[in-house]
Amino acid sequence: MSVPRFWRKIPQRYNLEGTRCETCGRYFFPPRNLCPTCRREGKIVEHTFKGTGKIVTFTVIRSASDQFAKLTPYVLAIVELEEGPRMTAQIVCSPEEAYIGMPVKAVFRRLGTEGESGVIYYGTKFAPM
Ligand code: ZN
């Protein structure tokens, strides 16, 4: 019996799984199999990010599609992980609390329910440290 794709992806949903190039020391999130700097010289290994970082910039979302409407207003930020990669994520705090440079930590929260099937999916959000 094959395992549904959704469940196989769970480890990546619950941890910040990325990769690292041992040759030049760069980190990649989402994971990459090829280092753009070292190319064939690069040795790519798996890396679980610590999940800590800081807000580089952010915006406050005041209107959203139906699915996220009840969450507004919310803070959407570009977070720079301690290891370097940047990602876009929701910050679990009020719009008044957020500021550039704010230290944050990854948390895993329910993002929504997928259509009629009622499948709940989770994703990475960040909370103030
Ligand atoms: Zn490299």
Side-chain angles (χ1 to χ4, degrees), residues 21-26 28 35-39 42-44:
C21 173
E22 284 196 329
T23 309
C24 68
R26 274 182 73 180
F28 304 105
C35 174
T37 307
C38 308
R39 298 188 176 272
K43 186 176 183 296
I44 301 293

Side-chain angles (χ1 to χ4, degrees), residues 63-72 111 113:
S63 58
S65 59
D66 296 354
Q67 200 180 9
F68 296 105
K70 59 176 180 288
L71 298 174
T72 59
L111 281 187
T113 309

Side-chain angles (χ1 to χ4, degrees), residues 68-80:
F68 296 105
K70 59 176 180 288
L71 298 174
T72 59
Y74 64 86
V75 180
L76 191 66
I78 293 175
V79 171
E80 187 177 274

